[in-house]
Structures are given as C-alpha cells and as structure tokens.
C-alpha cells in the first residue's frame, strides 16, 4: 500500500521503456489504491499504454472496463471501448456501448451526434434499420429541426418502403423549414411520395401548387404539376396554370416559352374543353408576337373554318404557303384549294393553291390529279385538255401516257369540238400502242369527223388487222367504217368490197345491209340492191337503226319502177306510206306513178 514505492516503480519502468511491465505495475497500484479517483487515473493510464505502446488490446479493454466499474461516469473510457471494439469488428458490442454512451451523455448536441453515429452503424453495417430509426427519432425529440436526423430518416423510410411514415416526416420537415429552399425541397419530395408511393395525386397537386406560388419559376414543380393536372383531367386548373406561366414568360421577355405555352393552351381549350373562342384568342396572341408562326396559322385556319369564317381560314393558309416546304406545303395547298372551291366558290383561287402545291417535288401526281378534277368540276375544258396533254408528256409509264392522251382527246372532241387537236393526241398514243383498238378506233372516227377520210383508211385497216383474221361480229363494224371512208374518197369499188366483207362476217347487221343496199342502188346494181333491201325486211329494225322500214319499202318501190314493174312499185310505195305517212319521197313517187 506504500504509494511512493508504486510511483517509483512505475517511473523506473517508464524510463526503461518496459511498457508491458509498466501496465502491470499500474494495475497493481490501482488494486491497492484506496483513493478511487487515483485508482481511476492509474487504470486509465494503464489502458492507454496497453493500447498505444504495449500493443496489448485485451489489457487495454480490461483497463477501461475496470475504470467504468469504479466510475460509470468516465465517458472517455466508454469512448475508448467503442473505438477499440469497432476497430476489431465487434459491431454488436459497439452498438451496445453506444447505447450506454448515449444514456450517459447529458449534453443535447453531443447526445444527438452520438445517436447519429450509432444509427449509421446499425443501418449500414448491422442492417438494423429499425434500431437506426429509433435512434434518429430520439434525435428529433431532442432537436426537431435536426437536418442529419431528418435526412437519415428520410432515407431509411424510403429503403423500408414506409411511405406513410415518410410522408409524415416530410410534413414535419416542411414545418420546421426556415427558408424557401428547404421548404421547396420538402414539398417536391412530398409531392413525389404522395403521387408515386401513396397514390394520392390530389395531395401531390396541392403541394406542387404551394411550391409554384412561392417559387413561380420552379421548373420541376411546374412540370410535375402540369403533368398531374393532365393525368387527373383537371383541364380548367391546367389552363389556369399554363396561363399563369405564359404571363411569367411574357414578363421575363421569354418569347419562345410564352409562344409554346400559348400554343399548348390553345390546343387544350380546343381539344379538351371545346372552347374554340378562347382557343382562337390564344392562337391570335401568338400571331401578335410572330405573324409567321406555323402551328398557330395552321390551328387558326382549322378553327376559322369550323366557326364558319372560310375567308379568314383561307388567309391563314395563304400565309402558311409562304412558310412551309415539302409535304406540309402540299397539304396546306390542298386545304386552301378545297376551301376556295367549296366555301368561297373561287375556282381561280383553288387553281392557284394547287399550282403552289405542284411546285413541290413531292406528291406531284396527286396534285395534278386534283387539278384535273377541279377543272372537270369547273368545266374548264381548255386548260383541262392542255393539262392532260402535259401529263402524258411528263409520265414515264406507257399505260399512263396513253390514258392521259385518250382523256385529253375526249376533252377536245366532246367538250371543245376540236377534232384536230383531239386527233393529234391520239396520233401520239397510236405511235406508242400501234395495235390498241381503244386508240385506233376513236382516231379513225376523229379523222372522219374532221373530213380527213383518206387518213382514216390506214387506221381502220390497222384496226381490222388487229383481229388477226378472226371472224367476229365486231370486225363488221370496222369494215363498214372502211366502206364509208372509201365511199367518201370516191372509191365505190373498194367500198363495196369492204361491205361484202362485213356482210360475210355478220349477215344480220342492219347497218351493213343498209349501206350495201344503198351503194348497190347508187351503182345501178338494181338486182343486188333489191335482194339486199328484201333481206332488210327480214330484220327487226329498231328505232335507232340507220334505215327505217318505210325507207326500205321506198327503195324497193323505186327499184321496181326502174325495172318497169309499175304495180309492184305502187304496192311497195303504199307500204312505205303505211309505215310512215309523212314519208315525202314515197308520196311524191307514188303520186307520179298514179298520175
């Protein structure tokens, strides 16, 4: 118990650097020390030397434990134990020591820091998230505005999917926030949790509204609010939000953003709220700032037309045509052409719009077809015929070229009474398809109509040849046409030959029989004429036949007269008059015979 001896021994050992022996000496001194304070000092010194100089961790732990057994208030000993056990990886022991250390700490700030460290240990290394949350909640009881505790709990609730608790925590965080930045951050998180985790979009919307009221330019909040309002189909509220943002953009001089918002407002009002009047106002506001805004012009053209203002719709489309390219320009041209024709009754303006569309390298075939249809509806025969001819020249498809030439020829022939130009188009077609009867037959008819009988003959011969010698009734029609052509150029023999060929192909063809009988009559071959006309009496002569029954009787009467058979001539003429009382030639000849 002699203290000077213990002190001297420790001093000698320290001087010799005999640290392990020195630790033992200090432990022995502490055991015999009657003064607890001095004993604690000796044990503390021993533990420090054992840990740092002697490298004897077990003796160090023993020393700190004996310090605490003598005086539980020796917090440095607890701190040392926590440090040593943590270094050795005894984390469960560390967690227990932290609990003792926290209980022993009277200072709020220090206690909060200790709890935070203990919570981090439990959460990250022991996976004891419940224990970590208990510690951080205790921190909030000591310090309701403690940011590290709030941050830690926020992460823990997120990890454990305790979203209702997370929402309550964010509400608490919002209550203690003392600046705009912290409040905004809390509301953003609360809105996201409410929507994505709790399915409470209404609360999310409320929080986001609070954010944009306090920070009007908050991008994330504005974007999320507009998205949620759209999801919830709260269209009126969305309109208010977008209008507010457009005013902020205007005040900030951000013209591009303002126009984008006004455009979206117009679309929303038009499509969701069916408020075309207000939608029109927003689109018009865009044009006040940018008279060439393509989307606004397009939307106004549509709305003006729906509102029964075709003239204003056409004005919008006119302005669009100067701004668009490619397929968009073509579509605008088609729309303008339709309005001009149907609503404004201006075929000229419709034509101009389609010409504008034709200037573009896309959909040209469709544009020309629309122009052709416009000309047809408008009865603009001359430009239509010219356009069809141009289309034929432009087309690379032989079948299309022929089709355009045929349509153009029909237009010149039927609408413009111009067989000359009509025949020119069919001549071009015949060069491309020399055996196509759909081209050759109308070409021959045009030559005949134009008095160019000689030119029709080789065309009709090609028509006949195209049948390849087949004896079908249709061939008779073309032999008959050839006969008329030969007759027209004064070649009666060839005409008669063609009619003979036609007759052999179709014995009952009334037209062939009529022409054959007439030609024989004119040539003075009375027997053949008589025989042919008698054959006509056996046919059923329809109202549209090239000769009537009265005519047949008349010719038979005249033939009998020329043959000197007066009674038979009178009989035939009387039958002609019976068939047609107004037959002048029959009455005149009958009267002369009876006289």
């Amino acid at each position: 118990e002699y203290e000077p001896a213990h002190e001297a021994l420790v001093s000698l050992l320290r001087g010799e650097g005999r640290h392990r022996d020195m630790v033992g000496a200090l432990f022995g001194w502490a055991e015999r020390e009657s003064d607890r304070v001095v004993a604690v000092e000796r044990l503390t010194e021993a533990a420090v030397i054992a840990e740092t100089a002697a490298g004897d961790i077990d003796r160090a732990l023993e020393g700190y434990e004996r310090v605490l057994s003598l005086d539980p208030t020796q917090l440095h000993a607890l701190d040392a134990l926590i440090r040593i056990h943590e270094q050795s990886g005894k984390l469960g022991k560390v967690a227990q020591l932290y609990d003792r250390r926290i209980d022993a700490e009277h200072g709020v700030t220090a206690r909060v820091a200790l709890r935070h460290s203990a919570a981090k240990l439990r959460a990250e290394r022991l996976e004891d998230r419940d224990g970590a949350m208990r510690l951080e909640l205790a921190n909030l009881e000591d310090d309701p505005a403690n940011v590290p505790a709030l941050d830690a709990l926020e992460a823990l609730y997120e990890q454990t999917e305790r979203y209702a608790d997370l929402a309550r925590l964010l509400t608490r965080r919002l209550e203690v926030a003392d600046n705009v930045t912290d409040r905004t951050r809390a509301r953003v998180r609360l809105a996201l949790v409410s929507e994505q985790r709790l399915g409470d979009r209404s609360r999310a919307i409320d929080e986001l509204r609070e954010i944009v009221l306090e920070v009007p330019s908050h991008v994330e909040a504005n974007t999320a609010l507009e998205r949620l309002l759209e999801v919830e189909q709260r269209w009126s509220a969305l309109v208010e939000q977008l209008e507010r943002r457009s005013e902020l953009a205007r005040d900030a001089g951000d013209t591009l953003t303002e126009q984008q918002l006004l455009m979206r407002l117009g679309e929303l009002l038009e499509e969701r709220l069916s408020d075309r009047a207000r939608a029109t106002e927003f689109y018009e506001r865009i044009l006040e700032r940018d008279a060439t805004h393509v989307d606004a012009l397009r939307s106004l053209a549509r709305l003006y037309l729906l509102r029964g203002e075709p003239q204003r719709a056409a004005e919008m489309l006119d302005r669009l045509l100067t701004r668009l390219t490619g397929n968009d320009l073509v579509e605008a041209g088609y729309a303008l052409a339709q309005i001009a024709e149907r609503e404004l009754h201006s075929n000229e303006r419709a034509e101009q719009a389609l010409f504008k569309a034709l200037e573009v390298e896309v959909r040209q075939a469709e544009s020309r077809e629309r122009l052709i249809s416009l000309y047809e509806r408008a009865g603009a025969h001359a430009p239509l015929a010219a356009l069809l001819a141009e289309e034929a020249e432009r087309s690379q498809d032989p079948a299309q070229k022929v089709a355009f030439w045929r349509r153009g020829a029909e237009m010149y022939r039927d609408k413009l009474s111009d067989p000359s130009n009509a025949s020119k188009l069919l001549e071009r077609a015949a060069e491309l398809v020399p055996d196509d009867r759909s081209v050759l037959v109308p070409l021959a008819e045009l030559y005949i109509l134009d008095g160019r009988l000689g030119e029709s003959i080789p065309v009709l011969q090609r028509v006949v040849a195209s049948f390849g010698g087949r004896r079908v009734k249709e061939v008779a029609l073309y032999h008959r046409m050839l006969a008329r052509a030969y007759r027209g150029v004064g070649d009666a023999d060839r005409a008669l030959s063609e009619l003979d060929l036609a007759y052999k192909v179709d014995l009952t063809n009334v037209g062939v029989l009529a022409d054959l009988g007439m030609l024989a009559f004119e040539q003075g071959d009375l027997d053949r004429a008589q025989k042919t006309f008698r054959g006509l009496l056996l046919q059923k002569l329809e109202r549209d036949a090239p000769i009537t029954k009265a005519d047949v009787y008349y010719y038979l009467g005249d033939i009998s007269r020329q043959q000197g058979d007066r009674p038979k001539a009178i009989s035939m003429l009387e039958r002609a008059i019976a068939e047609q009382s107004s037959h002048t030639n029959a009455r005149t000849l009958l009267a002369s015979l009876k006289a």
Side-chain angles (χ1 to χ4, degrees):
E1 286 78 18
Y2 187 61
E3 183 176 343
H6 285 290
E7 184 176 359
L9 178 58
V10 168
S11 179
L12 285 169
L13 292 171
R14 183 181 288 112
E16 291 292 320
R18 294 167 60 184
H19 300 114
R20 287 184 174 273
D21 292 336
M22 182 179 172
V23 169
L26 288 168
F27 267 98
W29 187 355
E31 287 176 3
R32 293 167 175 76
E33 181 58 60
S34 59
D35 186 339
R36 191 173 63 175
V37 174
V38 174
V40 166
E41 290 176 356
R42 300 292 84 78
L43 287 170
T44 299
E45 185 181 1
V48 170
I49 294 170
E51 179 186 0
T52 59
D56 190 346
I57 299 302
D58 290 336
R59 291 289 275 172
L61 291 173
E62 181 184 355
Y64 290 129
E65 291 286 0
R66 290 180 65 180
V67 168
L68 290 173
S69 66
L70 293 174
D71 184 359
T73 65
Q74 295 295 317
L75 300 183
H76 68 86
L78 273 173
D79 291 336
L81 287 172
I82 290 171
R83 183 184 68 254
I84 294 171
H85 283 305
E86 189 167 10
Q87 289 172 352
S88 61
K90 296 179 180 180
L91 302 181
K93 182 67 174 178
V94 174
Q96 295 174 0
L97 290 168
Y98 263 125
D99 288 341
R100 289 171 60 189
R101 179 67 178 84
I102 291 165
D103 290 340
E105 181 60 59
H106 298 292
V108 173
T109 302
R111 187 166 58 243
V112 167
L114 286 166
R115 283 201 196 100
H116 186 65
S117 297
K120 188 175 180 181
L121 173 71
R122 287 180 180 273
E124 296 178 3
R125 303 180 71 179
L126 294 175
E127 296 186 1
D128 180 12
R129 294 190 179 92
D130 288 338
M133 286 186 276
R134 170 180 56 78
L135 290 166
E136 296 293 7
L137 285 171
N139 274 346
L140 290 183
E141 291 178 6
D142 280 343
D143 181 6
N146 186 268
V147 173
L150 291 167
D151 289 342
L153 278 170
E154 189 174 330
L156 287 166
Y157 286 148
E158 184 80 41
Q159 292 167 10
T160 55
E161 299 183 0
R162 294 170 60 170
Y163 299 117
D165 289 334
L166 178 57
R168 285 190 286 271
L169 177 71
L170 290 168
T171 302
R172 181 172 184 173
R173 187 165 200 159
L174 186 60
E175 292 169 352
V176 300
D178 60 358
N179 58 74
V180 173
T181 301
D182 288 347
R183 281 195 298 274
T184 299
R185 178 185 176 280
R187 282 200 168 101
V188 168
R189 288 282 292 130
L190 183 54
L192 289 172
V193 170
S194 297
E195 177 201 0
Q196 298 174 5
R197 303 304 186 183
L198 300 177
D200 189 350
R201 294 196 187 107
S202 294
R203 182 174 184 181
I205 289 171
D206 291 341
E207 296 300 334
L208 292 168
R209 275 179 167 162
E210 291 296 325
I211 295 172
V212 298
L213 286 175
E214 193 167 21
V215 187
S217 60
H218 194 286
V219 176
E220 183 182 1
N222 277 302
T223 302
L225 177 58
E226 288 156 24
R227 176 178 56 78
L228 286 176
L229 290 173
E230 186 166 359
V231 170
E232 290 290 290
Q233 298 186 8
R234 292 163 66 167
W235 308 121
S236 297
L238 181 55
V239 167
E240 292 176 7
Q241 160 69 7
L242 293 173
E243 194 167 6
R244 181 188 61 78
R245 280 189 63 207
S246 71
E247 291 169 357
L248 289 172
R250 179 198 61 203
D251 294 341
D254 187 351
T255 303
L256 179 60
T257 300
E258 181 192 8
Q259 289 177 353
Q260 291 172 344
L261 291 166
L262 290 174
M263 194 70 207
R264 191 176 173 197
L265 275 164
E267 293 167 353
L268 182 63
L269 286 162
E270 181 183 356
E271 296 170 8
R272 300 299 185 180
L273 297 175
S274 299
D275 191 344
R276 292 173 181 163
R278 283 196 71 197
T280 302
E281 291 176 10
F282 284 117
Y283 293 139
E284 287 173 342
R285 280 170 58 182
I286 295 174
L287 292 189
E288 290 173 6
R289 291 151 178 76
D290 180 1
T292 60
H293 194 284
V294 170
D295 290 335
L297 288 169
R298 187 182 283 119
S299 297
L300 282 171
R302 181 181 62 254
L303 285 176
Y304 285 143
L305 187 60
L306 290 172
R307 290 171 56 178
E309 300 180 63
Q311 183 62 48
R312 298 191 71 182
E315 290 172 6
M316 297 299 107
L317 289 169
D318 271 329
R319 288 159 67 176
L320 263 180
L321 289 178
T322 65
R323 301 294 301 170
L324 298 176
T325 58
N327 191 65
D328 290 337
L329 189 151
V330 173
E331 287 293 340
Y334 291 169
L336 179 56
Q338 185 173 340
I339 293 172
E341 181 187 2
R342 297 182 183 179
E343 306 294 337
L344 303 179
H345 309 293
S346 174
N347 291 324
E348 181 181 357
R349 195 167 181 182
E351 180 187 32
Q352 291 171 354
L354 291 174
F355 273 129
K356 191 72 176 175
L358 267 172
E359 294 175 3
V360 184
E361 293 297 325
V362 298
R363 300 172 67 180
Q364 288 192 330
E366 182 183 355
S367 298
R368 291 191 187 93
E369 195 58 44
R370 285 174 179 263
L371 189 56
I372 288 170
S373 299
L374 173 66
Y375 285 149
E376 287 176 340
R377 291 191 297 271
H381 306 309
L384 174 56
L387 181 60
L388 289 168
E390 290 175 12
E391 284 299 286
E393 296 297 334
R394 186 177 288 105
S395 176
Q396 299 299 315
D397 182 353
Q400 273 193 346
K401 292 173 82 72
V402 171
F404 281 125
W405 274 322
R406 286 182 59 194
R407 286 176 69 184
E410 290 169 5
M411 190 61 55
Y412 278 119
R413 181 191 65 195
D414 300 337
K415 302 298 183 181
L416 298 171
S417 301
D418 186 350
S420 178
N421 275 320
S423 61
K424 289 178 182 178
L425 297 183
L426 289 181
E427 285 168 355
R428 298 293 307 281
E431 292 173 3
L432 201 59
V433 284
D435 299 321
D436 191 332
R437 289 192 292 273
S438 68
V439 172
L440 296 174
V441 172
L443 177 57
E445 291 172 343
L446 284 168
Y447 283 148
I448 294 170
L449 182 63
D450 202 23
R452 298 156 63 183
L453 298 175
E455 293 178 64
S456 72
I457 291 172
V459 177
L460 289 168
Q461 288 173 337
R462 285 160 63 185
V463 172
V464 172
S466 70
F467 286 94
R470 289 180 293 127
R471 296 173 65 85
V472 294
K473 288 186 177 182
E474 188 180 353
V475 179
L477 299 176
Y478 305 118
H479 281 300
R480 184 188 175 203
M481 289 178 68
L482 265 171
R484 288 190 166 189
Y486 280 123
R487 190 174 177 184
V489 297
D491 191 342
D493 292 338
R494 292 294 297 273
L496 190 59
S497 175
E498 291 295 332
L499 287 172
D500 282 337
L501 290 171
Y503 179 67
K504 290 176 183 178
V505 173
D506 189 359
L507 299 174
T508 61
N509 189 300
V510 172
V512 172
L513 287 170
D515 288 355
L516 191 57
M518 292 289 295
L519 184 57
F521 180 79
E522 292 173 1
Q523 295 294 310
D525 188 349
L526 298 181
D527 288 339
R528 184 170 186 178
Q530 188 178 54
K531 181 180 178 181
T532 303
F533 283 127
R534 282 176 179 171
L536 275 169
L537 290 176
L538 300 175
Q539 304 299 322
K540 184 177 182 181
L541 301 180
E542 303 290 348
R543 299 186 68 175
D544 59 348
I547 192 170
T548 66
K549 206 166 190 179
D551 290 332
V552 174
Y553 281 125
Y554 165 72
Y555 283 115
L556 286 170
D558 197 5
I559 291 170
S560 295
R561 177 189 66 79
Q562 293 183 52
Q563 291 173 336
D565 190 344
R566 184 170 172 274
K568 190 171 183 179
I570 291 172
S571 174
M572 291 294 110
L573 292 170
E574 286 177 342
R575 288 186 181 184
I577 294 169
E579 287 289 336
Q580 183 181 339
S581 61
S582 61
H583 200 290
T584 303
N585 290 338
R587 282 185 173 279
T588 302
L589 184 56
L590 180 61
S592 68
L593 287 173
K594 286 185 175 182

